[in-house]
Amino acid sequence: YDKVKQYTNAFVIQNDSKILLGYKKRGFGQGLWNGFGGKVDPGETSAQAAVRELQEEAGITAPLQLRGILFFVLEGVDTAFHISVYSAYEYSGTITETDEMRPEWFSIQDSLLPPRNPLTTIDHDAQAEELPPIPLDKMWADDEFWMPLMLARRYFVGRADFGADNKMRRWWFGATPAS
Ligand code: 6U4
Ligand code: NA
Ligand code: NA
């Protein structure tokens, strides 16, 4: 029954306006933008792995919190992938490119955020920094389904089944009610 591999995936978000992603330079998911993460090592909790991988791949430390769980099944692959997704709203250290990942900030497009309270004043000066929007077309296909749930700070779970061509065949995503 050793058929589940545990991974982590961590995101740093600032002011609900930008998110740190890494361009995967090699290995699994090469050429895609994603959070920072990897395998949970033996003897380590998922939360410890998340902090370690963020440090190893982006050079920073953050108070990561568990935001959701993803489960992936790949056609022709015996092992399923269990991914714990973490995020933090602050970090310390200097964001650093590594052999594995090239970190970059992206602006969070309004279409991925919950509707704003109409009385909220938007500080356009705070958003003056010009960043590209989250590149969903260059990310794993499941991300567009749960990214809005994570950004809305809702606890989510999801499963996606990928075909041999790496396209999503079947999926299910859900979240607990907004608090
Ligand atoms: P390490 O520990 O780095 O050697 P490795 O086997 O290289 O592990 P790695 O770093 O490539 O794994 O980690 C895979 C990363 O991709 C994890 O953060 C989980 C994430 N991931 C895998 N499938 C995904 C999917 N369908 N959607 C998604 N992230 C996925 O958003
Ligand atoms: Na990794
Ligand atoms: Na690792």
Side-chain angles (χ1 to χ4, degrees), residues 7-9 24 26-28 34-39 41 52-53 57 70 72 83 100 140 142-143 146 162:
Y7 286 81
T8 65
N9 200 357
K24 192 87 191 309
R26 63 172 193 215
F28 192 40
N34 204 345
F36 302 90
K39 283 190 216 73
D41 287 338
R52 175 183 54 72
E53 290 278 353
E57 295 187 350
L70 299 170
F72 300 115
I83 302 181
E100 188 166 344
W140 285 93
D142 47 277
D143 292 23
W146 54 264
F162 286 86

Side-chain angles (χ1 to χ4, degrees), residues 123-131:
D123 181 352
H124 286 283
D125 285 340
Q127 300 184 331
E129 194 182 358
E130 281 292 331
L131 296 171

Side-chain angles (χ1 to χ4, degrees), residues 12-156:
V12 175
I13 298 164
Q14 300 237 279
N15 301 322
D16 284 330
S17 73
K18 62 178 188 176
I19 186 167
L20 188 67
L21 300 175
Y23 180 80
K24 192 87 191 309
K25 298 201 270 187
R26 63 172 193 215
F28 192 40
Q30 179 177 0
L32 296 177
W33 291 89
N34 204 345
F36 302 90
K39 283 190 216 73
V40 178
D41 287 338
E44 183 181 53
T45 65
S46 150
Q48 289 166 340
V51 169
R52 175 183 54 72
E53 290 278 353
L54 181 63
Q55 175 69 51
E56 286 176 6
E57 295 187 350
I60 56 176
T61 304
L64 294 171
Q65 288 191 25
L66 184 65
R67 305 296 174 176
I69 299 288
L70 299 170
F71 189 69
F72 300 115
V73 180
L74 312 174
E75 188 180 347
V77 177
D78 197 36
T79 314
F81 297 81
H82 172 291
I83 302 181
S84 303
V85 179
Y86 294 82
S87 71
Y89 294 90
E90 56 193 83
Y91 69 93
S92 55
T94 305
I95 296 168
T96 311
E97 179 168 353
T98 60
D99 288 351
E100 188 166 344
M101 287 287 225
R102 177 159 53 83
E104 230 173 81
W105 289 105
F106 290 86
S107 72
I108 301 171
Q109 48 273 55
D110 285 343
S111 59
L112 296 179
L113 287 168
R116 281 179 214 276
N117 180 330
L119 296 178
T120 307
T121 346
I122 297 169
D123 181 352
H124 286 283
D125 285 340
Q127 300 184 331
E129 194 182 358
E130 281 292 331
L131 296 171
I134 297 175
L136 283 168
D137 56 331
K138 294 177 195 123
M139 299 172 72
W140 285 93
D142 47 277
D143 292 23
E144 66 175 291
F145 294 92
W146 54 264
M147 186 67 69
L149 299 169
M150 178 177 77
L151 295 171
R153 307 189 190 200
R154 296 176 63 184
Y155 184 79
F156 61 90

